[in-house]
Amino acid sequence: MPVSSPISAPVPSPSARPDPARLLSWYDRHARVLPWRVAPSARRAGVMPDPYRVWLSEIMLQQTTVSAVKPYFDGFLARWPTVMDLAAADEAEVMKAWAGLGYYSRARNLKACAEVVAREHGGRFPATEAALLTLPGIGPYTAAAIAAIAFDVRAVVVDGNVERVITRLNAIATPMPAAKPMIRAAAEALTPKTRPGDFAQAMMDLGATICTPRKPACVLCPFDRACAAQAAGTMETYPVKAPKTERPTRHGTAYVVQRPDGAVLLRRRPPKGLLGGMSEVPSSDWSTRASRTKTEAPATKTDGRPAFAGPWRRLAAPVEHTFTHFHLVLAVEVCRVEARSSAPADHWWSPPSAWDGEALPSLMRKVLELAGRG
């Protein structure tokens, strides 16, 4: 039965129960063509997906759109076509290839996971959720997705698209994330024993193409007669979201040192933590507002400014960037130095022609773009 609705009026009962067979029939006709996916017709003919491709795509797709992932997926496969190749890759090269995709702990875990699969599993991904959960960077959702899609194990796969479908089918009024156990229970009850991998992908496709956040195409939905939200006309109410908490704002300063040939001074961030292992221009701490320094002032040991005498010039506008848990306002100071200037220890000079190959996160690319204009 549908869970109580946030709408004051009673929720009308749908005229039918959701039928997984109807969804699978719809998927057979309308499955998205994706580079990591085996088409349902080929799958029914016995072609199974490559677990490496499934794993790689699922890690990349976390909090990232399909359109953004496709070129990165193709690039990784071109350089590292198997998990053994990725396991043997240089970590710095993996971070460079990941640059721009965001959430960089995923890239570090990707490399660590590949190494474990190569070293402890002979280059073959385990086929059970329990075994997959022991691998670096693989949580409950990813383990279920790999087990279902790559090995056709009956596993409950619930991503954001599936959450939306399930909350609408059942008119689940509890706000997120408290609703997650109810969503999982409803998804568990709906997941069939036959073709569980195709079913998982069909639910994702349904949410991505039909049961969209706004203006869902209910007339095309294979679950239309079974959907409590559609019966009540309250589709866009679900999933119910908890009130947003305001992100705190942090402040800091980025120090761009430029040579006459345009090369800038870079360093690598610590391997763990936010943007771990990525390249950056030297920066101050981000937890508190960096004090405004005098343009001719020498560097100190606490503000992060590299030891070049200057003159330093602070640009009029800062760079702003929003992370998951905070908003960052980063002042930018620029110093131009002589061509023969030496890079400090653990730093290097990077010319503009090399920036595409550097492991520069989006934030640092914003900094360099602003410094280039300023």
Side-chain angles (χ1 to χ4, degrees), residues 233-314:
T234 57
M235 297 80 71
E236 293 189 20
T237 302
Y238 304 97
V240 179
K241 297 180 180 179
K244 288 186 177 180
T245 57
E246 185 176 353
R247 286 188 179 98
T249 297
R250 299 183 186 178
H251 300 264
T253 305
Y255 301 101
V256 180
V257 185
Q258 297 175 325
R259 293 192 318 199
D261 63 357
V264 298
L265 189 69
L266 297 181
R267 67 182 183 183
R268 197 169 310 284
R269 290 180 63 82
K272 295 184 179 181
L274 185 64
L275 304 181
M278 302 301 289
S279 303
E280 68 168 2
V281 302
S283 305
S284 70
D285 185 82
W286 296 349
S287 61
T288 59
R289 179 182 290 277
S291 61
R292 187 180 180 90
T293 56
K294 296 180 180 179
T295 57
E296 300 292 337
T300 70
K301 293 182 179 180
T302 57
D303 66 6
R305 184 200 277 185
F308 291 93
W312 287 89
R313 179 171 59 91
R314 177 166 292 204

Coordinates of all heavy atoms in Angstrom, one line a residue, residues 233-314:
G233 N -1.8 12.9 -9.0 CA -1.4 14.1 -9.7 C -0.3 14.8 -9.0 O -0.1 16.1 -9.2
T234 N 0.5 14.2 -8.1 CA 1.5 14.8 -7.3 C 2.9 14.3 -7.6 O 3.7 14.2 -6.7 CB 1.1 14.6 -5.8 OG1 1.1 13.2 -5.5 CG2 -0.2 15.2 -5.4
M235 N 3.2 14.0 -8.8 CA 4.4 13.3 -9.2 C 5.6 14.2 -8.7 O 6.6 13.6 -8.2 CB 4.5 13.0 -10.7 CG 3.4 12.1 -11.2 SD 1.8 12.9 -11.4 CE 2.1 13.9 -12.8
E236 N 5.6 15.5 -9.0 CA 6.7 16.3 -8.7 C 7.0 16.6 -7.3 O 8.0 17.2 -6.9 CB 6.6 17.6 -9.5 CG 6.7 17.4 -11.0 CD 6.8 18.7 -11.8 OE1 7.2 19.8 -11.2 OE2 6.6 18.8 -13.0
T237 N 6.0 16.1 -6.4 CA 6.2 16.3 -5.0 C 7.3 15.3 -4.5 O 7.9 15.6 -3.4 CB 4.9 15.9 -4.3 OG1 3.9 16.8 -4.7 CG2 5.0 16.1 -2.8
Y238 N 7.5 14.2 -5.2 CA 8.4 13.2 -4.7 C 9.7 13.2 -5.5 O 9.7 13.4 -6.7 CB 7.7 11.8 -4.8 CG 6.4 11.8 -4.1 CD1 5.2 12.0 -4.8 CD2 6.4 11.5 -2.7 CE1 4.0 11.9 -4.1 CE2 5.1 11.5 -2.1 CZ 4.0 11.7 -2.8 OH 2.8 11.7 -2.1
P239 N 10.8 12.7 -4.8 CA 11.0 12.5 -3.4 C 10.9 13.7 -2.6 O 11.3 14.8 -3.0 CB 12.3 11.8 -3.3 CG 13.1 12.3 -4.5 CD 12.1 12.5 -5.6
V240 N 10.4 13.6 -1.4 CA 10.2 14.7 -0.5 C 11.6 15.0 0.1 O 12.3 14.1 0.6 CB 9.2 14.4 0.6 CG1 9.2 15.6 1.6 CG2 7.9 14.1 0.1
K241 N 12.0 16.3 0.0 CA 13.4 16.6 0.4 C 13.3 17.4 1.8 O 12.4 18.2 2.0 CB 14.1 17.5 -0.6 CG 14.3 16.8 -1.9 CD 14.9 17.8 -2.9 CE 15.1 17.1 -4.3 NZ 15.8 18.0 -5.3
A242 N 14.3 17.0 2.6 CA 14.4 17.7 3.9 C 14.9 19.2 3.6 O 15.5 19.4 2.6 CB 15.4 17.0 4.8
P243 N 14.6 20.1 4.5 CA 15.1 21.5 4.3 C 16.6 21.5 4.2 O 17.3 20.8 4.9 CB 14.6 22.2 5.6 CG 13.5 21.4 6.1 CD 13.8 20.0 5.7
K244 N 17.0 22.3 3.3 CA 18.5 22.4 3.0 C 19.2 23.1 4.2 O 18.7 24.1 4.7 CB 18.8 23.1 1.7 CG 18.4 22.3 0.5 CD 18.9 23.0 -0.8 CE 18.6 22.2 -2.0 NZ 19.0 22.9 -3.3
T245 N 20.3 22.6 4.5 CA 21.1 23.3 5.5 C 22.1 24.2 4.7 O 22.6 23.9 3.7 CB 21.9 22.4 6.4 OG1 22.7 21.5 5.5 CG2 21.0 21.5 7.2
E246 N 22.3 25.4 5.3 CA 23.2 26.4 4.6 C 24.7 25.9 4.6 O 25.2 25.5 5.7 CB 23.1 27.7 5.2 CG 23.8 28.8 4.5 CD 23.6 30.2 5.1 OE1 22.7 30.3 6.0 OE2 24.3 31.2 4.7
R247 N 25.3 26.0 3.5 CA 26.7 25.6 3.4 C 27.6 26.7 4.1 O 27.3 27.9 3.8 CB 27.2 25.4 2.0 CG 26.7 24.2 1.3 CD 27.4 24.1 -0.1 NE 27.1 22.8 -0.8 CZ 26.1 22.8 -1.7 NH1 25.5 23.9 -2.1 NH2 25.9 21.7 -2.3
P248 N 28.5 26.4 4.9 CA 29.4 27.4 5.4 C 30.3 27.9 4.3 O 30.6 27.3 3.3 CB 30.2 26.7 6.5 CG 30.2 25.3 6.1 CD 28.8 25.1 5.4
T249 N 30.8 29.1 4.5 CA 31.7 29.7 3.5 C 33.1 29.8 4.1 O 33.3 30.2 5.2 CB 31.3 31.2 3.1 OG1 30.0 31.1 2.5 CG2 32.3 31.8 2.2
R250 N 34.1 29.3 3.4 CA 35.5 29.3 3.8 C 36.2 30.3 2.9 O 35.8 30.5 1.7 CB 36.1 27.9 3.7 CG 35.5 26.9 4.7 CD 36.2 25.6 4.6 NE 35.5 24.6 5.4 CZ 35.9 23.3 5.5 NH1 37.0 22.9 4.9 NH2 35.2 22.5 6.2
H251 N 37.4 30.8 3.4 CA 38.1 31.7 2.6 C 39.6 31.3 2.6 O 40.1 30.6 3.5 CB 38.0 33.1 3.3 CG 36.6 33.6 3.3 ND1 36.1 34.5 2.4 CD2 35.6 33.4 4.2 CE1 34.9 34.8 2.7 NE2 34.5 34.1 3.8
G252 N 40.3 31.8 1.6 CA 41.7 31.5 1.5 C 42.3 32.3 0.4 O 41.7 33.2 -0.2
T253 N 43.6 32.1 0.1 CA 44.3 32.8 -0.9 C 45.1 31.8 -1.8 O 45.8 30.9 -1.3 CB 45.3 33.8 -0.3 OG1 44.5 34.7 0.5 CG2 45.9 34.7 -1.4
A254 N 45.0 32.0 -3.1 CA 45.9 31.2 -4.1 C 47.0 32.2 -4.6 O 46.7 33.3 -4.9 CB 45.0 30.7 -5.2
Y255 N 48.2 31.6 -4.6 CA 49.3 32.4 -5.1 C 49.8 31.9 -6.4 O 50.4 30.8 -6.5 CB 50.4 32.3 -4.0 CG 50.0 32.8 -2.6 CD1 49.6 31.9 -1.6 CD2 49.9 34.1 -2.4 CE1 49.2 32.3 -0.4 CE2 49.5 34.6 -1.1 CZ 49.1 33.7 -0.1 OH 48.7 34.1 1.1
V256 N 49.7 32.7 -7.4 CA 50.1 32.4 -8.8 C 51.4 33.0 -9.1 O 51.5 34.3 -9.2 CB 49.0 32.8 -9.8 CG1 49.4 32.4 -11.2 CG2 47.6 32.2 -9.5
V257 N 52.4 32.2 -9.3 CA 53.8 32.7 -9.6 C 54.0 32.4 -11.1 O 53.9 31.3 -11.5 CB 54.8 32.0 -8.8 CG1 56.2 32.7 -9.1 CG2 54.5 32.1 -7.3
Q258 N 54.2 33.5 -11.9 CA 54.3 33.3 -13.3 C 55.7 33.7 -13.8 O 56.3 34.7 -13.4 CB 53.3 34.2 -14.0 CG 51.9 33.8 -13.7 CD 50.9 34.8 -14.4 OE1 51.2 36.0 -14.4 NE2 49.8 34.3 -14.8
R259 N 56.3 32.9 -14.7 CA 57.5 33.3 -15.4 C 57.1 34.1 -16.7 O 56.0 34.0 -17.2 CB 58.3 32.1 -15.8 CG 58.9 31.4 -14.6 CD 59.9 30.3 -15.0 NE 59.6 29.5 -16.2 CZ 60.1 28.3 -16.5 NH1 61.0 27.8 -15.7 NH2 59.7 27.7 -17.5
P260 N 58.1 34.7 -17.4 CA 57.8 35.4 -18.6 C 57.2 34.5 -19.7 O 56.4 35.0 -20.6 CB 59.1 36.0 -19.0 CG 59.9 36.2 -17.8 CD 59.5 35.0 -16.9
D261 N 57.6 33.3 -19.7 CA 57.0 32.4 -20.8 C 55.6 31.8 -20.5 O 55.1 31.0 -21.2 CB 58.0 31.2 -21.0 CG 58.1 30.3 -19.8 OD1 57.6 30.6 -18.7 OD2 58.9 29.3 -19.8
G262 N 55.0 32.3 -19.4 CA 53.7 31.9 -19.0 C 53.6 30.7 -18.1 O 52.5 30.4 -17.6
A263 N 54.8 30.1 -17.8 CA 54.8 28.9 -16.9 C 54.4 29.4 -15.5 O 54.8 30.5 -15.1 CB 56.1 28.2 -16.9
V264 N 53.7 28.5 -14.8 CA 53.3 28.8 -13.4 C 53.8 27.8 -12.5 O 54.1 26.7 -12.9 CB 51.7 28.9 -13.3 CG1 51.2 30.0 -14.1 CG2 51.1 27.6 -13.6
L265 N 53.9 28.2 -11.2 CA 54.5 27.3 -10.2 C 53.3 26.4 -9.7 O 52.3 26.9 -9.3 CB 55.0 28.1 -9.1 CG 55.8 27.4 -8.0 CD1 57.1 26.8 -8.6 CD2 56.1 28.3 -6.8
L266 N 53.6 25.1 -9.7 CA 52.6 24.2 -9.2 C 53.2 23.3 -8.1 O 54.4 23.1 -8.0 CB 52.0 23.3 -10.3 CG 51.3 23.9 -11.4 CD1 50.8 22.9 -12.4 CD2 50.1 24.7 -10.9
R267 N 52.4 22.7 -7.3 CA 52.8 21.7 -6.3 C 51.7 20.6 -6.3 O 50.6 20.8 -6.8 CB 53.0 22.3 -5.0 CG 51.7 22.9 -4.3 CD 52.0 23.5 -3.0 NE 50.8 24.0 -2.3 CZ 50.8 24.6 -1.2 NH1 51.9 24.9 -0.5 NH2 49.6 25.0 -0.6
R268 N 51.9 19.5 -5.6 CA 50.9 18.5 -5.4 C 50.3 18.5 -4.0 O 51.1 18.7 -3.0 CB 51.5 17.1 -5.7 CG 50.5 16.0 -6.0 CD 51.1 14.8 -6.5 NE 52.0 15.0 -7.6 CZ 51.6 15.3 -8.9 NH1 50.3 15.4 -9.1 NH2 52.5 15.4 -9.8
R269 N 49.0 18.4 -3.9 CA 48.4 18.4 -2.6 C 48.7 17.1 -1.9 O 49.0 16.1 -2.6 CB 46.8 18.6 -2.8 CG 46.5 20.0 -3.3 CD 45.0 20.1 -3.4 NE 44.3 19.9 -2.1 CZ 44.1 20.9 -1.2 NH1 44.6 22.1 -1.4 NH2 43.4 20.6 -0.1
P270 N 48.5 17.0 -0.6 CA 48.7 15.8 0.1 C 47.8 14.7 -0.4 O 46.7 14.9 -1.0 CB 48.3 16.1 1.6 CG 48.5 17.6 1.7 CD 48.2 18.1 0.3
P271 N 48.3 13.4 -0.4 CA 47.5 12.3 -1.0 C 46.1 12.1 -0.4 O 45.3 11.6 -1.2 CB 48.4 11.1 -0.8 CG 49.3 11.5 0.4 CD 49.5 12.9 0.3
K272 N 45.9 12.4 0.8 CA 44.6 12.2 1.4 C 43.9 13.6 1.7 O 44.6 14.6 1.8 CB 44.7 11.4 2.7 CG 45.2 10.0 2.5 CD 45.2 9.2 3.8 CE 45.7 7.8 3.6 NZ 45.7 7.0 4.8
G273 N 42.6 13.5 1.8 CA 41.9 14.7 2.0 C 41.3 15.3 0.8 O 41.4 14.8 -0.3
L274 N 40.7 16.5 0.9 CA 40.0 17.2 -0.2 C 41.0 17.4 -1.4 O 42.1 17.9 -1.1 CB 39.4 18.5 0.3 CG 38.6 19.2 -0.8 CD1 37.3 18.5 -1.1 CD2 38.2 20.6 -0.2
L275 N 40.6 17.0 -2.6 CA 41.5 17.2 -3.8 C 42.8 16.5 -3.6 O 43.8 16.9 -4.2 CB 41.7 18.6 -4.1 CG 40.4 19.5 -4.3 CD1 40.8 20.9 -4.7 CD2 39.5 18.9 -5.4
G276 N 42.9 15.4 -2.8 CA 44.1 14.7 -2.5 C 44.8 14.2 -3.7 O 44.2 13.6 -4.6
G277 N 46.1 14.5 -3.8 CA 46.9 14.1 -4.9 C 46.9 14.9 -6.2 O 47.6 14.6 -7.1
M278 N 46.0 15.9 -6.2 CA 45.9 16.8 -7.3 C 46.9 17.9 -7.3 O 47.5 18.2 -6.3 CB 44.5 17.4 -7.4 CG 43.3 16.4 -7.4 SD 43.4 15.2 -8.8 CE 42.9 16.3 -10.1
S279 N 47.1 18.5 -8.5 CA 48.0 19.6 -8.6 C 47.3 20.9 -8.3 O 46.1 21.1 -8.4 CB 48.5 19.7 -10.1 OG 49.2 18.5 -10.5
E280 N 48.1 21.9 -7.8 CA 47.5 23.2 -7.4 C 48.6 24.2 -7.5 O 49.8 23.9 -7.4 CB 46.9 23.1 -6.0 CG 47.9 23.0 -4.9 CD 47.4 23.2 -3.5 OE1 46.2 23.5 -3.4 OE2 48.1 23.1 -2.6
V281 N 48.2 25.5 -7.5 CA 49.1 26.6 -7.2 C 49.2 26.7 -5.7 O 48.3 26.3 -5.0 CB 48.6 27.9 -7.8 CG1 48.4 27.8 -9.3 CG2 47.3 28.4 -7.2
P282 N 50.3 27.1 -5.2 CA 50.4 27.3 -3.7 C 49.3 28.1 -3.1 O 48.8 29.1 -3.7 CB 51.8 28.0 -3.5 CG 52.5 27.6 -4.8 CD 51.5 27.6 -5.9
S283 N 48.7 27.6 -2.0 CA 47.6 28.2 -1.4 C 47.7 28.3 0.1 O 48.4 27.4 0.7 CB 46.3 27.5 -1.8 OG 46.2 27.4 -3.2
S284 N 46.9 29.2 0.7 CA 46.8 29.2 2.1 C 45.8 28.2 2.6 O 45.1 27.5 1.8 CB 46.4 30.6 2.6 OG 45.0 30.8 2.2
D285 N 45.7 28.0 3.9 CA 44.6 27.2 4.5 C 43.3 27.8 4.1 O 43.1 29.0 3.9 CB 44.8 27.2 6.0 CG 43.8 26.2 6.6 OD1 44.1 25.0 6.7 OD2 42.8 26.7 7.1
W286 N 42.3 26.9 4.0 CA 40.9 27.3 3.5 C 39.9 27.4 4.7 O 38.8 27.8 4.5 CB 40.4 26.4 2.5 CG 41.1 26.3 1.2 CD1 42.1 27.2 0.8 CD2 41.0 25.4 0.2 NE1 42.6 26.9 -0.4 CE2 41.9 25.8 -0.8 CE3 40.1 24.3 0.0 CZ2 42.0 25.0 -2.0 CZ3 40.2 23.6 -1.2 CH2 41.1 23.9 -2.2
S287 N 40.3 27.2 5.9 CA 39.3 27.1 7.0 C 39.0 28.5 7.5 O 37.9 28.6 8.1 CB 39.9 26.2 8.1 OG 41.1 26.8 8.7
T288 N 39.8 29.5 7.4 CA 39.5 30.8 7.9 C 39.9 31.8 6.8 O 40.7 31.5 5.9 CB 40.3 31.1 9.1 OG1 41.7 31.0 8.9 CG2 39.9 30.2 10.3
R289 N 39.4 33.0 6.9 CA 39.8 34.1 6.0 C 41.3 34.4 6.1 O 41.8 34.7 7.1 CB 39.0 35.3 6.2 CG 39.3 36.5 5.2 CD 38.5 37.7 5.5 NE 37.1 37.6 5.2 CZ 36.7 37.7 3.9 NH1 37.5 38.0 3.0 NH2 35.4 37.6 3.7
A290 N 41.9 34.3 4.9 CA 43.3 34.7 4.9 C 43.5 36.2 5.0 O 42.7 37.0 4.4 CB 44.0 34.2 3.6
S291 N 44.4 36.7 5.9 CA 44.5 38.1 6.1 C 45.1 38.7 4.8 O 45.9 38.1 4.1 CB 45.5 38.4 7.2 OG 46.8 37.8 6.9
R292 N 44.7 40.0 4.5 CA 45.2 40.7 3.3 C 46.6 41.1 3.6 O 46.9 41.8 4.5 CB 44.3 41.9 3.1 CG 44.7 42.6 1.7 CD 43.8 43.8 1.5 NE 44.1 44.5 0.3 CZ 43.6 44.2 -0.9 NH1 42.7 43.2 -1.0 NH2 43.9 44.8 -2.0
T293 N 47.5 40.6 2.7 CA 48.9 40.9 2.9 C 49.3 42.1 2.1 O 48.7 42.4 1.0 CB 49.8 39.7 2.4 OG1 49.4 39.4 1.0 CG2 49.5 38.4 3.2
K294 N 50.3 42.8 2.5 CA 50.8 43.9 1.7 C 51.5 43.4 0.5 O 52.1 42.4 0.4 CB 51.9 44.7 2.6 CG 51.2 45.3 3.8 CD 52.3 46.1 4.6 CE 51.7 46.7 5.9 NZ 52.7 47.4 6.7
T295 N 51.3 44.2 -0.6 CA 51.8 43.7 -1.9 C 53.3 43.5 -1.9 O 53.8 42.7 -2.7 CB 51.5 44.7 -3.0 OG1 52.0 46.0 -2.7 CG2 50.0 44.9 -3.1
E296 N 54.1 44.2 -1.1 CA 55.5 44.0 -1.1 C 56.0 43.1 0.0 O 57.2 42.9 0.2 CB 56.2 45.3 -1.0 CG 55.9 46.3 -2.1 CD 56.5 45.9 -3.4 OE1 57.5 45.1 -3.4 OE2 56.0 46.4 -4.4
A297 N 55.1 42.5 0.8 CA 55.5 41.8 2.0 C 56.1 40.4 1.6 O 55.7 39.8 0.7 CB 54.2 41.5 2.9
P298 N 57.1 40.0 2.3 CA 57.7 38.7 2.0 C 56.8 37.6 2.5 O 55.9 37.8 3.3 CB 59.0 38.7 2.9 CG 58.7 39.6 4.0 CD 57.8 40.7 3.4
A299 N 57.0 36.4 2.0 CA 56.2 35.2 2.4 C 56.4 34.9 3.9 O 57.5 35.2 4.4 CB 56.5 34.0 1.5
T300 N 55.4 34.3 4.5 CA 55.6 33.8 5.8 C 55.5 32.3 5.8 O 55.1 31.7 4.8 CB 54.5 34.4 6.8 OG1 53.2 33.8 6.4 CG2 54.3 35.9 6.6
K301 N 55.7 31.7 6.9 CA 55.6 30.2 7.0 C 54.2 29.8 7.2 O 54.0 28.6 7.2 CB 56.5 29.7 8.1 CG 58.0 30.0 7.9 CD 58.9 29.4 9.0 CE 60.4 29.6 8.7 NZ 61.2 29.1 9.8
T302 N 53.3 30.7 7.4 CA 51.9 30.2 7.8 C 50.9 30.5 6.7 O 49.8 29.9 6.7 CB 51.5 30.9 9.1 OG1 51.6 32.3 8.9 CG2 52.4 30.5 10.2
D303 N 51.2 31.5 5.8 CA 50.1 31.9 4.9 C 50.1 31.1 3.6 O 49.3 31.2 2.7 CB 50.1 33.4 4.6 CG 51.4 33.8 3.8 OD1 52.2 33.0 3.4 OD2 51.5 35.1 3.6
G304 N 51.1 30.2 3.4 CA 51.2 29.4 2.2 C 51.8 30.1 1.0 O 52.0 29.4 0.0
R305 N 52.2 31.4 1.1 CA 52.7 32.1 -0.1 C 54.2 31.6 -0.3 O 55.0 31.6 0.6 CB 52.7 33.6 0.2 CG 53.2 34.4 -1.0 CD 53.6 35.8 -0.7 NE 52.5 36.7 -0.6 CZ 52.7 38.0 -0.3 NH1 53.9 38.5 -0.2 NH2 51.6 38.8 -0.3
P306 N 54.5 31.2 -1.5 CA 55.9 30.8 -1.8 C 56.9 31.9 -1.6 O 56.5 33.1 -1.7 CB 55.8 30.3 -3.3 CG 54.7 31.0 -3.8 CD 53.7 31.2 -2.7
A307 N 58.1 31.6 -1.4 CA 59.1 32.6 -1.0 C 59.7 33.3 -2.2 O 60.9 33.2 -2.5 CB 60.2 31.9 -0.2
F308 N 58.9 34.1 -2.9 CA 59.4 35.0 -3.9 C 59.1 36.4 -3.4 O 58.0 36.7 -2.9 CB 58.7 34.8 -5.2 CG 59.1 33.5 -5.9 CD1 58.3 32.3 -5.6 CD2 60.2 33.4 -6.7 CE1 58.7 31.1 -6.2 CE2 60.5 32.2 -7.3 CZ 59.8 31.0 -7.0
A309 N 60.1 37.3 -3.6 CA 60.0 38.7 -3.0 C 58.9 39.5 -3.5 O 58.4 40.4 -2.9 CB 61.3 39.4 -3.1
G310 N 58.5 39.2 -4.8 CA 57.4 40.0 -5.3 C 57.9 41.0 -6.4 O 59.0 40.8 -6.9
P311 N 57.1 42.0 -6.7 CA 55.9 42.4 -6.0 C 54.7 41.5 -6.2 O 54.6 40.9 -7.3 CB 55.6 43.8 -6.6 CG 56.2 43.8 -7.9 CD 57.4 42.9 -7.8
W312 N 53.9 41.4 -5.2 CA 52.7 40.6 -5.3 C 51.5 41.5 -5.5 O 51.4 42.6 -5.0 CB 52.4 39.8 -4.0 CG 53.4 38.6 -3.8 CD1 54.6 38.7 -3.2 CD2 53.2 37.3 -4.3 NE1 55.2 37.4 -3.3 CE2 54.3 36.6 -3.9 CE3 52.1 36.7 -4.9 CZ2 54.5 35.2 -4.2 CZ3 52.2 35.3 -5.2 CH2 53.4 34.6 -4.8
R313 N 50.6 41.1 -6.4 CA 49.4 41.9 -6.7 C 48.2 41.1 -6.5 O 48.0 40.0 -7.1 CB 49.5 42.4 -8.2 CG 48.3 43.2 -8.6 CD 48.6 43.8 -10.0 NE 48.9 42.8 -11.0 CZ 47.9 42.2 -11.8 NH1 46.6 42.6 -11.6 NH2 48.2 41.3 -12.6
R314 N 47.3 41.6 -5.7 CA 46.0 40.9 -5.5 C 45.0 41.3 -6.5 O 44.7 42.5 -6.7 CB 45.5 41.1 -4.1 CG 44.1 40.5 -3.8 CD 43.7 40.5 -2.4 NE 44.6 39.6 -1.6 CZ 44.2 39.0 -0.4 NH1 43.0 39.2 0.1 NH2 45.1 38.2 0.2

